[in-house]
Amino acid sequence: MASLVAAELAAFEAALARELRSDVAFIRAIGDELVKAGGKRLRPSLALLVGRMTGCEPERATTVALAVELLHSASLLHDDLIDDAATRRGSQSTFLRYGNVVSVMSGDFMLARVLGLLARSDSSDFIQLMSRAAAALCEAEVLQFQTATLQDWSFAGYRRIIEGKTAELMAAAAEGAGLLAAVGGEERAALRRFALAYGRAFQLRDDYLDLLGDQAELGKPVGGDLREGKATYPVLLLLIEHDLEEARLIINRHASREGDVERMVALVREHGADERTRQLIATEVDDAQRELRAFPASPARDALVELVERERSRVS
């Protein structure tokens, strides 16, 4: 996948470094760390692959990739502070190294750069698209906190949370590239449906592995969501469909007792919630791949199919 858009990704990295330039040392240091950390660059790759598939000019596809990645990175700086997260991608969190003010304002600096990119895109539709994605992201984060506080668990609420936190930014990447390529209305709608389904599969898989994954492979302790009082899909099945009081007690006390995480894992497996979650991930993968049939066969389309398929394979 990456090799197909290797040149575009290299151009993206150079452009990202330019967008993060600042003569303020702390902001410059945080920007340099973001560039050097690299990561999977999943959202930029999504924008660039869709751009390749739809014939979007590489420079315009890069604008989409930059806007989405900077919005995502800003949200991570803010999230780590809110969640009191000690690490991010194996390194100490920014707010622990530089303090709360620097972390928050550096995130805001990235958001300001997003505004500049939107202005240069010369597309009011793209501006609206990014605005909706940013609002959905904020609403989802607050809804997640509200749901945990009020213990107002529901499948509809969970779906809205994972769409807002994850899928909407992926939809902005895919739909944005198609929009700037001037695809038709039906193709643009197909891109949005594709990316939303992919984003849901991605977050479902992430939530599944957070509870049921291998700690050595994850690089962090399992059960992080439980300890934050977040009821993800496997746990929701226990709370809503099986009405298990034991599961409710564990989530309500944020899995604070020794053995709570292990007991929740046992309950999930005992009641088949693990298999149900894998089935839902597979359904979302199938739905995403089906939407790609709206586009002619091409190496870029094949790469997108492969990208989505990884979500199914990681829990099989």
Side-chain angles (χ1 to χ4, degrees):
M1 178 200 73
S3 61
L4 188 62
V5 289
E8 291 95 328
L9 278 171
F12 161 83
E13 294 292 346
L16 181 64
R18 289 195 298 271
E19 290 296 331
L20 290 169
R21 283 177 185 163
S22 172
D23 60 3
V24 177
F26 281 1
I27 292 178
R28 185 171 62 251
I30 292 169
D32 288 346
E33 289 164 6
L34 174 60
V35 173
K36 290 175 183 177
K40 297 176 182 178
R41 298 293 194 229
L42 180 61
R43 292 155 193 83
S45 296
L46 185 59
L48 296 172
L49 282 169
V50 170
R52 176 75 70 91
M53 182 177 71
T54 58
C56 184
E57 294 178 7
E59 185 175 344
R60 288 173 73 74
T62 298
T63 295
V64 177
L66 287 168
V68 172
E69 185 70 359
L70 285 169
L71 176 55
H72 174 62
S73 298
S75 74
L76 294 183
L77 286 176
H78 293 165
D79 286 352
D80 285 347
L81 176 57
I82 293 167
D83 296 337
D84 197 26
T87 61
R88 166 67 62 180
R89 293 172 179 165
S91 300
Q92 189 179 38
S93 296
T94 300
F95 78 93
L96 289 177
R97 275 177 293 143
Y98 297 101
N100 296 357
V101 172
V102 172
S103 184
V104 171
M105 297 311 297
S106 294
D108 290 348
F109 173 82
M110 293 178 190
L111 294 176
R113 292 304 195 205
V114 173
L115 293 178
L117 287 162
L118 296 181
R120 297 200 299 274
S121 75
D122 196 30
S123 170
S124 60
D125 286 341
F126 182 53
I127 294 171
Q128 289 290 335
L129 178 64
M130 289 298 297
S131 173
R132 289 195 299 270
L137 176 61
C138 296
E139 288 177 332
E141 290 291 350
V142 174
L143 179 60
Q144 183 169 256
F145 176 80
Q146 173 183 302
T147 299
T149 301
L150 302 179
Q151 301 174 17
D152 184 23
W153 318 115
S154 73
F155 292 118
Y158 175 74
R159 181 184 173 101
R160 183 178 178 188
I161 288 168
I162 66 173
E163 282 191 346
K165 284 178 55 178
T166 302
E168 284 286 353
L169 267 184
M170 291 185 173
E175 188 182 356
L179 191 159
L180 295 188
V183 300
E186 291 184 7
E187 289 83 2
R188 179 177 166 184
L191 285 172
R192 178 169 179 77
R193 291 192 299 268
F194 151 73
L196 286 175
Y198 171 40
R200 291 191 297 267
F202 180 95
Q203 191 60 54
L204 280 161
R205 184 269 305 161
D206 191 68
D207 291 348
Y208 177 97
L209 292 179
D210 180 82
L211 182 62
L212 298 160
D214 180 81
Q215 180 169 318
E217 292 181 8
L218 290 175
K220 63 179 181 179
V222 297
D225 289 331
L226 276 182
R227 295 186 184 92
E228 294 176 13
K230 300 173 184 176
T232 53
Y233 190 74
V235 176
L236 282 179
L237 289 169
L238 303 182
L239 297 175
I240 297 174
E241 291 197 355
H242 297 284
D243 195 23
L244 290 184
E245 182 62 22
E246 185 178 5
R248 194 177 306 277
L249 290 173
I250 291 173
I251 193 71
N252 286 350
R253 64 176 175 251
H254 292 202
S256 57
R257 296 183 184 177
E258 185 176 353
D260 272 350
V261 173
E262 292 79 5
R263 181 55 184 159
M264 186 70 87
V265 169
L267 289 171
V268 163
R269 297 194 187 282
E270 177 185 340
H271 291 273
D274 54 340
E275 176 59 25
R276 289 278 302 281
T277 305
R278 290 195 295 270
Q279 289 172 355
L280 182 56
I281 292 169
T283 296
E284 297 288 8
V285 168
D286 289 341
D287 288 347
Q289 292 174 337
R290 188 180 305 111
E291 295 297 339
L292 290 172
R293 296 173 192 165
F295 301 90
S298 68
R301 193 185 78 170
D302 291 344
L304 289 167
V305 169
E306 177 188 343
L307 181 67
V308 178
E309 186 62 33
R310 292 178 185 178
E311 306 311 321
R312 178 172 16 220
S313 64
R314 290 192 66 184
V315 296
S316 61

